């Protein structure tokens, strides 16, 4: 049985897309067949895997609104065992088009379900919002990974996300679980970082990943080359951290 995991946080700039791309690529690297679905209109996961979102004519938008089957939209990346359902700016129109569809929160699930078992893992890179598109991802997912930067405002946004998860569990996906909270852009030299880590661990306890993603230049540079960090510089701290995360995710399954 494949696992579907959303990578979500309505707060921007927390390493959500970076985590979706690098975790997917790291799992592929260790032999796990993985699909990454990009439902963020910004299309950063798409460009982060070497595709020009401006030239992407068929995207997750077409799949979600029923214009095309997922098999015709999914592309094989140049990276081991990694496929992509790309995004483009058309995703902005998806929410408007889905408003009049019955059971609109299940559009993504309905579209992807026929091919779900072709992959070991399916990751969904959500947009930095808690709208209908993200609700579609959470209604389809087995679990949720929450990337978090260790700063004060991250705590405020987290409570809003948890409330959304509770609503999704109550209304359409009672089996949705929090896979884990992932600390990103970590700088242990800062006192505030340590305080936020302690607060999150108090609240989530065992749900916090042991792996911590450090703040590194190589992770920041990799997307401009259209590569996950493991293929950009496999010996850097960031690449090793995401490989550790991939193994931790597999061990939790």
């Amino acid at each position: 049985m494949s696992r579907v995991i959303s990578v979500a946080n309505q707060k921007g700039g927390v390493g959500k897309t970076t985590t979706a791309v690098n975790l997917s690529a790291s799992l592929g690297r260790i032999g796990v067949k993985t699909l990454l679905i990009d439902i963020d209109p910004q299309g950063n996961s798409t460009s982060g895997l070497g595709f020009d979102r401006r030239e992407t004519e068929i995207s997750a938008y077409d799949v979600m609104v029923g214009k095309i089957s997922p098999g015709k939209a999914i592309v094989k990346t140049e990276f081991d065992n990694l496929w992509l359902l790309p995004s483009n700016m058309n995703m902005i129109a998806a929410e408007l088009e889905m408003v009049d569809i019955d059971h609109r929160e299940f559009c993504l699930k309905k579209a992807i379900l026929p091919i779900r078992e072709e992959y070991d893992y399916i990751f969904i890179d959500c947009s930095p919002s808690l709208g209908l598109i993200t609700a579609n991802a959470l209604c389809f997912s087995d679990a949720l990974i929450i990337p978090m930067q260790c700063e004060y405002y991250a705590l405020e946004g987290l409570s809003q996300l948890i409330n959304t998860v509770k609503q999704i569990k109550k209304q359409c996906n009672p089996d949705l679980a929090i896979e884990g909270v992932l600390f990103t852009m970590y700088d242990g030299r800062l006192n505030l970082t340590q305080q936020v880590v302690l607060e999150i661990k108090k609240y989530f306890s065992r749900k916090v990943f042991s792996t911590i993603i450090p703040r590194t230049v190589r992770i920041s540079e990799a997307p401009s080359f259209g590569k996950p960090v493991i293929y950009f510089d496999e010996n850097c701290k960031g690449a090793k951290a995401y490989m550790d995360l991939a193994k931790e995710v597999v061990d939790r399954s």
Side-chain angles (χ1 to χ4, degrees):
M1 183 72 172
S2 65
R3 278 179 62 74
V4 180
I5 300 176
S6 284
V7 183
N9 191 328
Q10 82 278 12
K11 189 177 186 305
V14 297
K16 175 185 59 64
T17 294
T18 299
T19 294
V21 167
N22 287 295
L23 176 54
S24 298
S26 296
L27 282 165
R29 187 69 175 266
I30 61 176
V32 177
K33 190 174 182 182
T34 305
L35 169 66
L36 176 57
I37 299 176
D38 187 357
I39 58 170
D40 186 343
Q42 297 176 82
N44 290 332
S45 278
T46 299
S47 60
L49 290 176
F51 295 90
D52 189 338
R53 58 184 180 268
R54 293 166 298 183
E55 296 181 2
T56 300
E57 296 181 1
I58 301 173
S59 70
Y61 155 79
D62 301 285
V63 173
M64 289 184 71
V65 299
K67 291 184 177 181
I68 198 167
S69 66
K72 292 182 179 179
I74 291 170
V75 292
K76 176 69 176 72
T77 73
E78 64 179 283
F79 312 110
D80 297 340
N81 302 301
L82 181 57
W83 283 258
L84 171 71
L85 177 53
S87 179
N88 59 22
M89 291 301 292
N90 289 337
M91 282 300 301
I92 295 174
E95 279 199 28
L96 296 175
E97 290 199 30
M98 289 191 297
V99 166
D100 295 325
I101 298 175
D102 291 337
H103 307 296
R104 55 188 176 270
E105 67 272 20
F106 293 107
C107 288
L108 182 62
K109 181 177 182 178
K110 181 180 177 181
I112 303 298
L113 206 56
I115 62 159
R116 173 173 178 167
E117 295 310 314
E118 295 180 19
Y119 304 92
D120 299 311
Y121 280 87
I122 297 175
F123 287 93
I124 306 173
D125 181 19
C126 300
S127 59
S129 71
L130 296 177
L132 182 56
I133 300 295
T134 297
N136 262 260
L138 297 180
C139 286
F140 179 36
S141 295
D142 300 305
L144 168 69
I145 290 176
I146 306 172
M148 261 197 68
Q149 190 176 357
C150 299
E151 59 175 30
Y152 173 75
Y153 289 112
L155 295 171
E156 291 188 342
L158 189 58
S159 62
Q160 188 179 356
L161 178 58
I162 297 306
N163 287 335
T164 298
V165 170
K166 288 178 180 178
Q167 289 297 315
I168 294 291
K169 285 172 68 72
K170 182 179 179 180
Q171 296 174 10
C172 64
N173 186 3
D175 297 323
L176 178 65
I178 294 177
E179 185 80 359
V181 174
L182 175 69
F183 293 123
T184 62
M185 293 178 263
Y186 182 86
D187 187 344
R189 298 171 298 176
L190 302 177
N191 289 333
L192 180 59
T193 294
Q194 303 298 339
Q195 292 170 14
V196 172
V197 167
L198 288 174
E199 287 296 318
I200 295 299
K201 286 185 174 180
K202 281 182 189 176
Y203 187 84
F204 284 99
S205 185
R206 298 178 184 176
K207 291 293 185 180
V208 177
F209 283 106
S210 299
T211 304
I212 292 175
I213 308 302
R215 184 185 295 275
T216 71
V217 173
R218 303 305 270 173
I219 289 178
S220 300
E221 289 176 337
S224 64
F225 292 86
K227 292 183 177 182
V229 70
I230 190 69
Y231 290 92
F232 181 61
D233 184 354
E234 65 179 344
N235 295 314
C236 74
K237 290 181 179 179
K240 292 176 180 178
Y242 275 111
M243 285 297 287
D244 288 343
L245 178 63
K247 294 169 185 174
E248 190 173 353
V249 167
V250 170
D251 288 344
R252 288 188 177 200
S253 299

